[in-house]
Amino acid sequence: MGIAFFPDDALDSETLIIKADQAMYEVKKDGRNGWQFYTQEMQRKSEKRHSLYNELVSAVNNEELSVYYQPIYCNKEERIVGCEALVRWKRAGGSFIPPDEFIPLAEESGLVIRIDHFVLKTARDFISSLNTETGLNIGLSVNVSARLLYMRDESSQAWFYEIKAPSNTPITVEITERILVEDATRALQVLNDLSASGIQISIDDFGTGYSGLSYLSRFPVNAFKIDRSFVDKIGKLKTEEALIETMLLMAEKLQIKVVAEGVETQEQLDFLRDLSCDFSQGYFIGRPMPDSQFREHLLDSLPAK
């Protein structure tokens, strides 16, 4: 529920409803199931969001977005075996807009579908070309939004055909647990189709949301990512370390691969390696980087012949 007062917030019913709606939006953003009074700060936020949305539309239309690649490291083989494709937005003036500012806006407005298409095609073409050039088998992980995953219009599902087309690139689709909760029946259908096409399925940020263990048995899940909030506590909290160990033991029993996110120190990497965690991702391995820099980073990491 959002609440606006006459005459303090507005003098006519139409404006009062608009401002009450802005207050209700704040409640939804905080998880729903609550109430909020309208404030002037909400108006400033609303105006900022509207301005940012207009900029984002222009950025998408003018191809101002780019794809960065963060290395994924195999702990056992001690080498880079894949990467995650991440969208970045650099304003014409040179400043970067943080993803957590524009991605939620893109999801709400539907622009995320065009952005997902762009990231998928750009990353797939680059990694396929890189694999052909180097003879390697670098895998590609891409995040897919609920909007794109659940599109029912067949003519707009080009992403599905693009991702399952024959390729020399192993592809993993990363989804959040929220996607599995919102429409389990539809999710099962789409994920089964992807899995049958040879696409790997990974649950992102595992352990922070709903974390229903039934998802690991009901859906064709090949991997999950341990959230950085757990990895950050390695060497600091025994409880978090025990939770990581439990997740890894469970994954081993279920024959599910595990990627640890947010690895930033040698201590964290050693801890994960000692527990036979499959993969690591984080600043210690490599920050997200543009394609040319990722290529250089990858080639530099290869053993000398």
Side-chain angles (χ1 to χ4, degrees):
M1 180 182 291
I3 305 164
F5 282 104
F6 169 89
D8 296 345
D9 298 325
L11 299 176
D12 62 273
S13 58
E14 183 178 354
T15 307
L16 275 171
I17 290 173
I18 289 173
K19 294 188 173 182
D21 188 59
Q22 289 176 357
M24 185 174 67
Y25 173 81
E26 293 297 317
V27 180
K28 289 181 177 180
K29 209 168 61 171
D30 291 337
R32 303 173 180 269
N33 205 24
W35 53 271
Q36 175 69 57
F37 292 115
Y38 170 82
T39 66
Q40 286 298 321
E41 179 62 24
M42 290 178 194
Q43 180 64 28
R44 285 190 286 272
K45 284 183 179 178
S46 176
E47 291 171 355
K48 182 180 177 181
R49 284 171 56 80
H50 183 69
S51 174
L52 189 63
Y53 170 73
N54 288 336
E55 279 192 74
L56 182 57
V57 172
S58 176
V60 172
N61 290 336
N62 296 326
E63 300 181 349
E64 292 178 17
L65 303 181
S66 59
V67 180
Y68 275 44
Y69 303 86
Q70 185 168 31
I72 296 175
Y73 181 82
C74 178
N75 295 331
K76 183 178 180 180
E77 299 178 14
E78 298 186 356
R79 67 182 183 92
I80 295 170
V81 295
C83 63
E84 179 181 357
L86 301 163
V87 66
R88 291 294 183 263
W89 175 16
K90 188 176 183 180
R91 277 194 175 111
S95 61
F96 279 94
I97 310 296
D100 58 2
E101 283 190 25
F102 72 87
I103 293 297
L105 190 58
E107 289 178 342
E108 292 160 21
S109 64
L111 278 173
V112 72
I113 293 175
R114 292 179 61 187
I115 293 174
D116 280 354
H117 271 292
F118 164 73
V119 172
L120 172 60
K121 186 177 186 311
T122 302
R124 183 176 177 274
D125 289 350
F126 168 65
I127 298 299
S128 293
S129 175
L130 183 62
N131 282 338
T132 299
E133 172 196 349
T134 62
L136 298 173
N137 194 37
I138 299 300
L140 171 65
S141 292
V142 289
N143 291 281
V144 173
S145 66
R147 278 183 177 265
L148 186 61
L149 193 70
Y150 294 149
M151 284 194 327
R152 301 176 187 275
D153 179 4
E154 187 174 340
S155 65
S156 61
Q157 288 190 4
W159 76 275
F160 181 83
Y161 301 105
E162 286 175 1
I163 202 170
K164 76 174 188 176
S167 170
N168 62 350
T169 301
I171 296 178
T172 298
V173 166
E174 294 186 11
I175 59 172
T176 62
E177 293 171 279
R178 181 173 62 87
I179 287 178
L180 305 181
V181 171
E182 289 181 344
D183 192 343
T185 301
R186 178 63 174 160
L188 183 60
Q189 177 188 337
V190 175
L191 296 182
N192 277 336
D193 287 345
L194 286 172
S195 183
S197 301
I199 306 302
Q200 300 283 295
I201 309 298
S202 177
I203 298 180
D204 200 9
D205 301 331
F206 188 81
T208 59
Y210 305 93
S211 296
L213 297 181
S214 62
Y215 303 148
L216 300 181
S217 59
R218 290 177 57 199
F219 296 92
V221 175
N222 306 104
F224 64 75
K225 284 187 160 184
I226 298 177
D227 187 70
R228 66 184 65 247
S229 61
F230 294 96
V231 175
D232 183 57
K233 303 300 189 300
I234 292 174
K236 302 174 185 176
L237 289 176
K238 294 297 181 183
T239 304
E240 306 299 293
E241 291 180 352
L243 287 172
I244 292 174
E245 185 173 4
T246 301
M247 283 188 257
L248 291 170
L249 287 170
M250 176 188 64
E252 182 183 4
K253 294 291 185 182
L254 296 174
Q255 296 184 313
I256 292 174
K257 299 295 185 181
V258 179
V259 182
E261 290 188 289
V263 178
E264 297 187 355
T265 67
Q266 184 69 55
E267 180 186 12
Q268 293 169 348
L269 182 61
D270 290 341
F271 176 87
L272 294 163
R273 186 183 286 134
D274 289 344
L275 292 178
S276 299
C277 178
D278 301 291
F279 307 102
S280 293
Q281 181 180 348
Y283 286 0
F284 188 73
I285 309 300
R287 291 173 176 266
M289 56 192 84
D291 52 11
S292 58
Q293 189 177 337
F294 175 76
R295 178 185 177 279
E296 183 179 347
H297 181 79
L298 173 65
L299 296 179
D300 286 346
S301 71
L302 296 177
K305 293 183 179 180

